[in-house]
């Protein structure tokens, strides 16, 4: 018996999903994801990697079809997807899906907003396409398995499938052309972790290119450009090329009945998601109070092995690298009670007291915690004070996880905090209000009008 055509099954699902198939709660979550993403995109507009990519995009000229969020100008939709993807991934506040080890928004949302503006799609169509894009990206990543993440940046690779699927939904492609779009997406899917070892800017390029390449794939498919329809499961396809423990069945599990995007997390801390449980465990150990650095003798943090695999060799020299440093994030948590965007500065990173404390942080892989990954990303922290007092804290589900979710009001507060330097208070509130009623919007091209410029 021939195995299921995984790629085509995903295409059929994406081609048939309609807004009416989504529950009211699912729509509410998808709007919260969009608001959360837009806040991250606006927060990143002045970061150096984003300005580099924006300069290239502007130099290409072209028809102003979609909003380039950095600068607020118009540009071709492919360039908008590229720039906005980079901007939304740079401050490390975009969302995260734990089990698939994926940041879906940074790859999916830029492609869909750019295309929706160009096509003058309704808010309902945009929401539906986000559901399709998220579900496809998450399922591709679940199918690829945890081994994929060892070398491949899942947001870059599987995010490309999500961007293509969401764009195919917006373009109302039939299942065959939808599958072609996934095929072209898969043959472009790339993104390696070496940048983290060297402190390079590739992570922003990963998100931008995933959005751009996925959108390109759907546009090509609409025009009749064919792609391999077994790109995921084929003998020379994505799963076998990039993973040793892929699981095609996981990719299709409950398709059309279970929506994995409902287990998406929104970040509360401005750092890599693998640091969040450790941050909250440290805050719990300190009794939600701050401890002066010189009153801490030593810190031991127990984490799952995958966190160490990614973060263990990071020696932060820049604020961005500090977002991937467990010792730095633990030092912030204990001495400031938080890891907010404004804490990741050169001055903070060079603070002699914090640097000394970082040297007293010991990170240990715990097999018991590793056995719970990736369903949970747990951490345990023990602090010994200068007086010999022993403090302990634990966290399995940090703030923002689906088991400990942000409310709409908290997402709005996060949005206001991320955008205070680029939007007026009135502008921010207008966007929050518009997105809260996104399903009523007749033309997505009106969404950012008069606010982002």
């Amino acid at each position: 018996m021939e195995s299921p055509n995984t790629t085509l099954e995903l295409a059929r699902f994406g081609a048939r999903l309609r807004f009416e198939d989504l529950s009211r709660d699912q729509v509410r979550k998808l709007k919260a994801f969009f608001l959360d993403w837009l806040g991250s995109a606006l927060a990143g507009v002045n970061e150096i990697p984003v300005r580099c990519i924006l300069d290239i995009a502007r130099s290409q000229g072209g028809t102003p079809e979609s909003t380039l969020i950095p600068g607020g100008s118009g540009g071709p939709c492919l360039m908008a997807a590229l720039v906005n993807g980079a901007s939304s991934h740079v401050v490390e506040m975009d969302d995260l899906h734990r089990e698939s080890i994926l940041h879906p928004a940074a790859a999916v949302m830029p492609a869909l907003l750019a295309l929706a503006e160009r096509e003058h799609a309704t808010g309902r169509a945009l929401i539906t396409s986000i559901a399709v894009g998220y579900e496809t990206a998450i399922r591709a990543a679940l199918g690829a398995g945890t081994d994929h993440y060892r070398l491949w940046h899942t947001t870059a690779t599987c995010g490309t499938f999500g961007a293509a699927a969401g764009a195919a939904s917006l373009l109302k492609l039939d299942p065959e052309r939808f599958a072609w779009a996934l095929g072209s997406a898969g043959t472009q899917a790339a993104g390696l972790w070496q940048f983290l070892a060297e402190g390079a800017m590739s992570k922003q390029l990963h998100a931008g290119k995933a959005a751009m390449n996925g959108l390109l794939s759907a546009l090509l498919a609409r025009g009749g450009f064919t792609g391999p329809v077994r790109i995921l499961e084929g003998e020379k396809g994505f799963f076998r090329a990039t993973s040793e423990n892929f699981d095609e069945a996981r990719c299709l599990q409950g398709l059309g009945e279970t929506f994995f995007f409902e287990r998406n997390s929104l970040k509360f801390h401005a750092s890599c998601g693998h640091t969040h449980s450790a941050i909250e465990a440290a805050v719990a150990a300190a009794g939600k109070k701050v401890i002066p650095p010189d009153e801490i003798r030593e810190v031991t943090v127990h984490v799952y092995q995958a966190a160490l695999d990614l973060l263990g060799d990071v020696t932060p020299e820049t604020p961005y690298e500090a977002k991937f440093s467990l010792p730095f994030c633990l030092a912030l948590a204990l001495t400031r009670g938080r890891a907010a965007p404004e804490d990741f500065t050169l001055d903070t990173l060079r603070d002699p007291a914090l640097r000394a404390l970082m040297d007293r942080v010991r990170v240990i892989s715990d097999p018991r915690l590793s056995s719970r990954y990736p369903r949970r990303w747990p951490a345990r922290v023990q602090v010994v004070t200068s007086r010999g007092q022993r403090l302990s804290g634990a966290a399995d589900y940090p703030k923002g996880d689906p088991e400990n979710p942000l409310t709409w009001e908290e997402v709005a507060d996060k949005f206001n905090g991320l955008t205070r330097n680029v939007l007026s208070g009135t502008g921010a509130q207008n966007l929050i209000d518009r997105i809260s009623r996104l399903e009523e919007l007749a033309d997505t091209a009106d969404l950012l009008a008069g606010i982002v410029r």
Side-chain angles (χ1 to χ4, degrees), residues 3-13 135-145 148 154 157-162 164-165 178-189 227-243 245-253 255:
S3 61
N5 187 324
T6 303
T7 307
L8 187 56
E9 286 302 311
L10 285 174
R12 287 170 176 155
F13 159 77
E135 201 65 17
T136 303
I138 290 166
R139 287 176 175 276
L142 289 170
H148 178 82
T154 319
T157 54
C158 299
T160 310
F161 289 106
F178 202 119
W180 292 349
L182 294 178
S184 291
T187 207
Q188 298 179 86
V229 297
R230 286 187 175 269
I231 192 63
L232 287 167
E233 71 277 18
E235 286 300 317
K236 298 181 185 297
F238 179 76
F239 288 157
R240 285 169 174 79
T242 64
S243 179
N245 70 344
F246 64 89
D247 184 353
E248 295 172 30
R250 182 75 167 124
C251 189
L252 297 180
Q253 181 183 352
L255 182 64

Side-chain angles (χ1 to χ4, degrees), residues 166-241:
S169 170
L170 266 176
L171 293 173
K172 296 181 172 57
L173 300 188
D174 61 48
E176 182 181 42
R177 290 177 188 248
F178 202 119
W180 292 349
L182 294 178
S184 291
T187 207
Q188 298 179 86
L192 297 166
W193 280 115
Q194 182 61 27
F195 75 88
L196 190 56
E198 301 184 27
M201 297 178 181
S202 310
K203 199 164 191 274
Q204 283 61 254
L205 184 63
H206 287 181
K209 282 289 283 178
M212 179 183 184
N213 290 347
L215 176 52
L216 173 63
S217 299
L219 290 170
L220 286 171
R222 180 169 70 170
F225 190 95
T226 64
V229 297
R230 286 187 175 269
I231 192 63
L232 287 167
E233 71 277 18
E235 286 300 317
K236 298 181 185 297
F238 179 76
F239 288 157
R240 285 169 174 79

Side-chain angles (χ1 to χ4, degrees), residues 139-366:
R139 287 176 175 276
L142 289 170
T146 54
D147 181 69
H148 178 82
Y149 191 72
R150 183 173 58 87
L151 297 175
W152 298 93
H153 182 199
T154 319
T155 301
T157 54
C158 299
T160 310
F161 289 106
S169 170
L170 266 176
L171 293 173
K172 296 181 172 57
L173 300 188
D174 61 48
E176 182 181 42
R177 290 177 188 248
F178 202 119
W180 292 349
L182 294 178
S184 291
T187 207
Q188 298 179 86
L192 297 166
W193 280 115
Q194 182 61 27
F195 75 88
L196 190 56
E198 301 184 27
M201 297 178 181
S202 310
K203 199 164 191 274
Q204 283 61 254
L205 184 63
H206 287 181
K209 282 289 283 178
M212 179 183 184
N213 290 347
L215 176 52
L216 173 63
S217 299
L219 290 170
L220 286 171
R222 180 169 70 170
F225 190 95
T226 64
V229 297
R230 286 187 175 269
I231 192 63
L232 287 167
E233 71 277 18
E235 286 300 317
K236 298 181 185 297
F238 179 76
F239 288 157
R240 285 169 174 79
T242 64
S243 179
E244 295 293 332
N245 70 344
F246 64 89
D247 184 353
E248 295 172 30
R250 182 75 167 124
C251 189
L252 297 180
Q253 181 183 352
L255 182 64
E257 299 174 359
T258 300
F259 287 88
F260 290 129
F261 73 72
E262 293 193 80
R263 291 191 51 75
N264 199 43
S265 300
L266 301 182
K267 282 188 174 183
F268 189 68
H269 306 290
S271 54
C272 173
H274 291 293
T275 69
H276 287 204
S277 289
I279 289 169
E280 296 205 359
V283 171
K288 298 186 178 180
K289 300 177 182 178
V290 298
I291 306 175
D294 59 0
E295 293 184 14
I296 300 172
R297 182 186 299 171
E298 64 181 53
V299 181
T300 303
V301 55
H302 293 256
V303 295
Y304 47 94
Q305 182 59 41
L308 267 182
D309 290 342
L310 184 65
L311 309 179
D313 295 329
V314 175
T315 302
E317 299 297 334
T318 67
Y320 186 72
E321 290 172 342
K323 293 173 180 286
F324 298 85
S325 166
L326 276 165
F328 181 79
C329 291
L330 266 290
L332 283 181
L334 290 168
T335 62
R336 301 190 177 196
R338 65 185 193 188
E342 57 267 26
D343 293 319
F344 291 87
T345 67
L346 271 178
D347 287 344
T348 306
L349 184 58
R350 292 171 178 170
D351 184 311
L354 277 184
R355 297 296 296 202
L357 177 55
M358 289 168 62
D359 291 338
R360 300 195 293 274
V361 175
R362 186 165 57 116
V363 184
I364 297 174
S365 175
D366 188 324

